[in-house]
């Protein structure tokens, strides 16, 4: 797939791979980390800039690969981090004058600026970034379109305005605003933004003999092509040392069943509700719309948490690891307000690095594996959560013909819907919120393009049986663990 950082993704993942190789051998010492820096950038020539800068970047990437913040940053719980050494080549000014400037006598740009930020230079007009308020009046006034808005890609990708810059032009993430969606990570063409990776923790738990169980997101089907089924993924994970794997689509069934009860109650009370599966959407509500978070959000846990609690009940003491396309799931796993959630969350790229560290690859298998209904499997696509909830209501004999839904996929759509809900102008009964375009299959760490994934997914999902959601859940001890965020056994 094509991303702004495609040219350096392989390099980033190679560092993760080598860190994992050291961890498997029990040799991830400070001395060996230093050796790894020099092996990745041996010199004397540089591939991108100077070798000293590249080595510093590798050093900070090793920190992220060990779930640590860059060494020049304050300790932080935020999983999304900026590597300063890689972040220094973007323009600071938001508005710039291009060669299209005719240096005209009328100077409409000069006359339109109320902040004295624009003035004549030698051959064209010049904008002083220290005075510019980014109002855009000069760009609107220029008859030649010579003034352009140069929005940095990380800032443009952020749906909540959490990215700013310091006086040196380094990217700064406002953690009080950041919803940890990770959209900024692959938008940066210098690879200056990354996320903490928990592969070393997982390796250490496996080596310690703990029962480490993987939980694969519904979006997994189709990520690696139509020949790599959930059974094939489970086979690989067991080779890596995981005790077992469970598909989180089963958690989708669990979430849909309990969320449908909340929807039914909300309808009777005339109350509007939002879904609670997308962690970036939940972070958006909690940090930017706290009233909606408290009053309108479903209290049912995400499918990831549902499966983690199920596993921790049936396998006491186990370690649960979510695998998916989502960066924000790492923040959900770290959320202390949701007990017994996943211990760790990793992306598909991180999984591939872990596989390469043990020279393991995917193989097509003949076995079949299915624990979720098709409704749970389709949680990964926009509309999938709402459709599964409605299916559960219908399976209980309820009439859903008059229910209206607003399906939001993307930060802008989510913010618009929640803003309407906040002021009482939302027309629909329920909001399905997913911060990634297309839903989870469009997550920042998807393995292929959405078109490729969708085509392969349909091939795989068409092989699934037609079991009903509520019938499927009769096979599981749903009364033995909580399906509510606070861990209680009831509201």
């Amino acid at each position: 797939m094509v991303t702004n950082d495609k040219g350096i993704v392989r390099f980033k993942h190679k560092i993760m791979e080598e860190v994992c190789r050291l961890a498997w051998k029990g040799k991830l010492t400070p001395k060996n980390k230093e050796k790894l820096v020099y092996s990745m950038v041996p010199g004397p020539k540089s591939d991108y800039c100077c070798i000293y800068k590249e080595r510093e970047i590798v050093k900070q990437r090793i920190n992220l690969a060990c779930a640590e913040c860059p060494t020049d940053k304050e300790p932080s719980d935020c999983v999304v981090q900026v590597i300063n050494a890689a972040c220094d080549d973007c323009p600071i000014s938001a508005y710039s004058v291009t060669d299209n400037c005719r240096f005209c006598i009328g100077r409409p740009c000069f006359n339109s600026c109320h902040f004295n930020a624009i003035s004549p230079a030698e051959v064209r007009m010049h904008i002083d970034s220290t005075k510019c308020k980014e109002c855009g009046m000069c760009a609107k006034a220029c008859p030649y379109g010579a003034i352009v808005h140069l929005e940095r890609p990380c800032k443009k990708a952020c749906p909540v305005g959490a990215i700013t810059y310091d006086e040196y032009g380094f990217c700064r993430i406002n953690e009080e605003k950041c919803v940890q969606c990770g959209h900024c990570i692959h938008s940066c063409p210098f690879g200056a933004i990354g996320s903490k990776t928990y592969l070393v923790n997982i390796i250490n738990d496996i080596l310690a003999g703990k029962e480490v169980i993987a939980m694969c997101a519904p979006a997994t089907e189709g990520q690696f092509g139509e020949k790599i089924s959930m059974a094939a993924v489970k086979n690989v994970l067991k080779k890596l040392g995981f005790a077992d794997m469970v598909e989180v689509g089963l958690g989708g069934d669990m979430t849909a069943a309990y969320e449908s009860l909340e929807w039914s109650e909300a309808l009777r009370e005339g109350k509007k509700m939002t879904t609670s599966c997308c962690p970036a959407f939940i972070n958006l509500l909690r940090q930017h719309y706290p009233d909606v978070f408290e009053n309108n959000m479903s209290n049912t846990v995400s499918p990831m948490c549902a499966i983690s609690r199920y596993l921790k009940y049936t396998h006491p003491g186990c370690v649960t690891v979510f695998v998916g396309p989502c960066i924000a799931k790492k923040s959900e796993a770290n959320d202390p307000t949701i007990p017994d959630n996943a211990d760790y969350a990793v992306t598909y790229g991180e999984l591939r690095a872990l596989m390469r560290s043990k020279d393991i690859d995917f193989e097509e298998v003949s076995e079949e594996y299915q624990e979720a209904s098709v409704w749970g499997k389709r949680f990964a696509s926009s509309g999938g959560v709402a459709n599964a909830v409605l299916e559960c209501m219908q399976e209980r004999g309820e009439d859903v013909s008059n229910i209206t839904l607003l399906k939001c996929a993307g930060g802008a759509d989510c913010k618009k819907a929640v803003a309407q809900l906040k002021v009482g102008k939302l027309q629909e009964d329920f909001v399905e919120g997913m911060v990634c375009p297309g839903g989870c299959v469009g997550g920042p760490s998807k393995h292929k393009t959405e078109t490729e994934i969708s085509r392969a997914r349909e091939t795989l999902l068409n092989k699934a049986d037609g079991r009903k959601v509520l019938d499927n859940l009769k096979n599981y001890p749903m009364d033995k663990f909580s399906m509510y965020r606070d861990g209680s056994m009831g509201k």
Side-chain angles (χ1 to χ4, degrees):
M1 61 172 291
V2 178
T3 58
N4 283 6
D5 67 341
K6 182 179 181 181
I8 53 177
V9 165
R10 185 172 298 178
F11 185 68
K12 292 194 294 186
H13 288 174
K14 180 63 176 176
I15 294 171
M16 288 184 207
E17 175 188 334
E18 295 305 319
V19 167
C20 289
R21 287 185 187 276
L22 290 172
W24 285 119
K25 297 174 184 177
K27 296 181 178 180
L28 192 58
T29 62
K31 183 177 180 180
N32 284 332
K33 288 181 184 179
E34 188 71 15
K35 286 182 178 180
L36 177 57
V37 171
Y38 283 85
S39 69
M40 295 298 297
V41 188
K45 292 184 177 181
S46 164
D47 290 333
Y48 302 105
C49 45
C50 75
I51 59 171
Y52 307 107
K53 180 176 179 178
E54 285 189 28
R55 285 170 180 167
E56 177 62 20
I57 292 171
V58 171
K59 177 183 175 181
Q60 303 308 337
R61 291 202 186 287
I62 291 173
N63 284 345
L64 289 179
C66 296
E68 300 170 357
C69 292
T71 51
D72 59 346
K73 298 292 180 67
E74 293 293 326
S76 167
D77 292 331
C78 187
V79 298
V80 181
Q81 295 287 322
V82 179
I83 300 173
N84 278 355
C87 177
D88 65 352
D89 286 311
C90 287
I92 298 177
S93 302
Y95 284 88
S96 296
V97 181
T98 69
D99 289 339
N100 285 343
C101 177
R102 310 316 301 158
F103 216 38
C104 55
I105 298 174
R107 309 277 167 82
C109 56
F110 176 83
N111 295 326
S112 67
C113 182
H114 300 294
F115 308 103
N116 297 319
I118 190 164
S119 59
E122 290 186 13
V123 294
R124 62 187 179 195
M125 301 301 286
H126 169 72
I127 296 176
D128 185 343
S129 62
T130 63
K131 296 180 179 179
C132 178
K133 303 301 181 183
E134 302 184 14
C135 66
M137 295 303 294
C138 59
K140 293 179 182 178
C142 178
Y144 297 102
I147 301 176
V148 295
H149 186 202
L150 299 177
E151 190 173 16
R152 288 166 70 161
C154 54
K155 186 174 183 178
K156 186 176 182 180
C158 180
V160 292
I163 291 181
T164 56
Y165 315 104
D166 65 15
E167 65 270 29
Y168 304 107
F170 292 133
C171 173
R172 290 289 176 262
I173 297 176
N174 185 333
E175 295 183 10
E176 293 183 359
K177 291 183 177 181
C178 178
V179 297
Q180 305 193 61
C181 63
H183 289 177
C184 57
I185 292 175
H186 292 296
S187 73
C188 177
F190 296 98
I193 307 178
S195 68
K196 295 177 184 176
T197 301
Y198 299 91
L199 296 178
V200 173
N201 307 62
I202 295 166
I203 290 171
N204 289 339
D205 283 345
I206 291 174
L207 293 177
K210 295 182 181 180
E211 187 179 20
V212 183
I213 304 177
M215 310 179 295
C216 284
T220 304
E221 287 181 284
Q223 289 287 334
F224 307 105
E226 61 184 43
K227 293 184 178 180
I228 304 303
S229 63
M230 280 293 199
V233 176
K234 175 182 275 196
N235 183 55
V236 159
L237 287 164
K238 285 188 172 182
K239 287 182 179 179
L240 282 170
F242 287 86
D244 201 357
M245 185 213 87
V246 178
E247 62 171 326
V248 177
L250 171 60
D253 287 344
M254 295 174 178
T255 296
Y258 280 76
E259 197 158 284
S260 65
L261 295 173
E262 289 188 283
W263 282 28
S264 297
E265 183 178 343
L267 279 175
R268 290 192 295 269
E269 297 176 353
K271 177 182 176 182
K272 298 180 186 295
M273 285 184 59
T274 76
T275 54
S276 60
C277 296
C278 172
F281 181 68
I282 299 308
N283 291 339
L284 173 70
L285 296 185
R286 177 162 43 198
Q287 294 164 225
H288 297 266
Y289 303 92
D291 291 342
V292 176
F293 177 82
E294 290 294 333
N295 301 320
N296 303 98
M297 188 190 74
S298 165
N299 192 41
T300 302
V301 296
S302 71
M304 175 179 84
C305 183
I307 291 299
S308 180
R309 288 181 178 176
Y310 158 67
L311 289 173
K312 288 176 184 293
Y313 170 74
T314 54
H315 298 262
C318 74
V319 175
T320 55
V321 179
F322 177 83
V323 181
C326 184
I327 298 295
K329 280 295 183 187
K330 296 181 181 184
S331 73
E332 183 189 339
N334 293 340
D335 188 343
T337 68
I338 311 175
D340 292 326
N341 208 339
D343 293 292
Y344 307 109
V346 301
T347 67
Y348 295 129
E350 292 163 5
L351 171 63
R352 294 290 280 164
L354 185 63
M355 291 166 59
R356 287 192 296 272
S357 75
K358 295 199 76 172
D359 301 313
I360 295 172
D361 204 351
F362 286 115
E363 296 178 356
E364 187 178 3
V365 299
S366 58
E367 306 98 88
E368 295 183 359
Y369 166 74
Q370 179 181 347
E371 285 197 76
S373 73
V374 171
W375 302 99
K377 289 174 177 288
R378 291 192 181 277
F379 254 56
S381 302
S382 177
V385 177
N387 291 338
V389 172
L390 293 179
E391 167 64 17
C392 289
M393 295 173 76
Q394 288 179 304
E395 289 182 17
R396 291 193 178 98
E398 298 180 48
D399 181 11
V400 300
S401 59
N402 293 324
I403 293 177
T404 54
L405 302 170
L406 182 57
K407 303 170 185 178
C408 304
D413 286 350
C414 288
K415 287 196 297 181
K416 180 180 178 181
V418 177
Q420 290 177 333
L421 177 57
K422 180 180 178 180
V423 298
K425 293 186 177 181
L426 182 73
Q427 299 298 312
E428 291 81 5
D429 298 314
F430 302 106
V431 176
E432 179 195 272
M434 292 187 173
V435 172
C436 292
C440 301
V441 292
S445 294
K446 55 185 178 291
H447 196 62
K448 297 178 180 291
T449 66
E450 290 175 53
T451 301
E452 292 175 302
I453 295 168
S454 297
R455 187 183 304 118
R457 272 179 65 78
E458 286 307 308
T459 299
L460 290 167
L461 294 183
N462 286 337
K463 297 177 181 178
D465 62 41
R467 69 184 71 178
K468 295 292 185 180
V469 177
L470 299 183
D471 286 342
N472 190 39
L473 295 183
K474 292 177 182 178
N475 300 314
Y476 301 91
M478 298 305 299
D479 61 334
K480 300 298 183 181
F481 57 92
S482 173
M483 282 296 295
Y484 299 103
R485 292 176 64 85
D486 62 4
S488 64
M489 293 302 293
K491 291 188 178 180

